[in-house]
């Protein structure tokens, strides 16, 4: 006697998942794909430049291009409107030349040219004086610099002591005037290069003329630019004479 056993049908993955010989059979669930984290939307991304839409970027490329070109044009315009380097440093060659020309006339000095004091012109004249002294075989850079500082402070103190409460001369203006009035001494130093060392009479005579020229110009500027110095013109002229005599001694000896 044979015993029958019920065997469940075999379902193959090929086809639609249904065995054609057996009718409708319950399909097996297909395996799920491994877990993948969901990407956050581009609008809520914490780092905007890591998640973006290529289509939106391509569509807005014209906008970016226009922005870059406009910024480039504005940048070049602002660069052209900038001041020259010498003006930013406070060096104005036109004013320096105008003030220097005002000293060239020993009989009439223009005080209005020296209302705006600066130190660019005096530094140029000091360096020229040092250069001519160096060409004469005299290395006096430290001596000239020290005498310049002492002379400016000396004339500043003397003028304000003489003017009293009415004196309004500041040290910057005093240094500027003393420096520009060094022009005759610089010319003397340049001319002494062509005068023989043996002709001492000519050298002393030239030194006297240029010292009087520098002292006169400095006195007129001091009296015109500051208050309270008109009645003490003689004493101020004497102080200026001592200052430029000391510089001329560097040229003679």
């Amino acid at each position: 006697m044979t015993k029958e056993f019920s065997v469940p049908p075999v379902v193959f993955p090929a086809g639609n998942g249904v065995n054609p010989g057996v009718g409708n059979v319950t399909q097996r669930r297909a395996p799920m794909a491994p877990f993948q984290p969901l990407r956050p939307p581009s609008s809520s991304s914490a780092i905007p430049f890591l998640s973006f839409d290529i289509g939106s970027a391509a569509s807005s490329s014209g906008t970016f291009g226009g922005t870059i070109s406009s910024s480039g044009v504005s940048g070049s315009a602002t660069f052209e409107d900038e001041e020259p380097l010498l003006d930013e440093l406070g060096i104005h060659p036109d004013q320096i030349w105008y003030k220097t020309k005002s000293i060239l006339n020993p009989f009439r000095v223009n005080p209005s040219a020296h209302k705006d004091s600066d130190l660019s012109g005096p530094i140029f004249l000091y360096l020229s004086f040092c250069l001519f002294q160096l060409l004469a075989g005299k290395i006096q850079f430290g001596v000239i610099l020290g005498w310049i500082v002492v002379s400016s402070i000396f004339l500043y103190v003397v003028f304000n002591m003489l003017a009293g409460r009415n004196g309004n001369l500041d040290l910057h203006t005093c240094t500027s005037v003393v420096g520009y009035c060094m022009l005759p001494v610089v010319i003397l130093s340049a001319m002494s290069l062509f005068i023989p060392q043996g002709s001492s009479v000519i050298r002393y005579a030239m030194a006297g003329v240029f010292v009087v020229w520098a002292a006169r110009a400095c006195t007129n500027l001091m009296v015109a630019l500051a208050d309270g110095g008109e009645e003490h013109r003689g004493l101020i002229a004497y102080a200026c004479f001592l200052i430029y005599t000391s510089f001329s001694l560097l040229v003679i000896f």
Side-chain angles (χ1 to χ4, degrees):
M1 183 176 181
T2 11
K3 190 175 182 180
E4 294 182 359
F5 298 94
S6 59
V7 180
V10 179
V11 180
F12 297 94
N16 295 328
V18 180
N19 193 351
V22 181
N24 292 333
V25 183
T26 305
Q27 299 180 359
R28 293 185 179 181
R29 185 174 298 178
M32 296 181 61
F35 174 76
Q36 295 181 357
L38 297 177
R39 292 184 179 180
S42 60
S43 59
S44 62
S45 176
I47 307 178
F49 56 83
L50 288 183
S51 59
F52 59 92
D53 189 5
I54 298 178
S56 62
S59 63
S60 61
S61 61
T63 306
F64 290 155
T67 305
I68 293 173
S69 61
S70 63
S71 63
V73 172
S74 62
S76 62
T78 54
F79 180 76
E80 292 177 356
D81 294 339
E82 289 185 356
E83 296 182 357
L85 179 60
L86 292 179
D87 293 342
E88 292 182 357
L89 295 176
I91 302 175
H92 305 283
D94 297 337
Q95 295 184 7
I96 293 174
W97 175 241
Y98 180 59
K99 293 178 182 180
T100 305
K101 287 193 302 182
S102 67
I103 306 295
L104 290 175
N105 188 359
F107 302 103
R108 185 177 181 181
V109 182
N110 186 10
S112 61
H114 296 268
K115 288 184 178 180
D116 297 330
S117 59
D118 68 284
L119 297 181
S120 304
I123 290 175
F124 175 74
L125 293 175
Y126 295 153
L127 293 178
S128 302
F129 184 47
C130 293
L131 177 62
F132 290 134
Q133 290 294 97
L134 182 62
L135 293 177
K138 304 173 183 177
I139 304 177
Q140 299 172 338
F141 289 94
V143 176
I144 293 174
L145 178 61
W147 285 15
I148 287 167
V149 175
V150 172
S151 300
S152 301
I153 297 176
F154 169 72
L155 188 59
Y156 167 75
V157 172
V158 169
F159 186 92
N160 286 297
M161 287 181 63
L162 293 175
R165 296 181 178 179
N166 297 326
N168 57 353
L169 179 66
D170 58 302
L171 186 59
H172 190 272
T173 303
C174 182
T175 306
S176 176
V177 171
V178 171
Y180 276 107
C181 293
M182 279 284 296
L183 179 63
V185 181
V186 175
I187 297 174
L188 172 64
S189 178
M191 294 180 62
S192 65
L193 297 174
F194 305 97
I195 300 176
Q197 294 289 338
S199 56
S200 58
V201 177
I202 299 177
R203 297 173 70 90
Y204 281 116
M206 288 181 56
V209 172
F210 284 103
V211 165
V212 171
W213 177 8
R216 179 183 174 85
C218 185
T219 304
N220 292 336
L221 288 177
M222 287 292 178
V223 173
L225 295 178
D227 299 332
E230 183 64 36
E231 54 186 5
H232 304 288
R233 179 184 290 268
L235 295 175
I236 297 173
Y238 178 68
C240 296
F241 181 79
L242 292 179
I243 290 174
Y244 295 107
T245 300
S246 63
F247 283 108
S248 65
L249 292 177
L250 297 176
V251 179
I252 297 174
F253 298 104

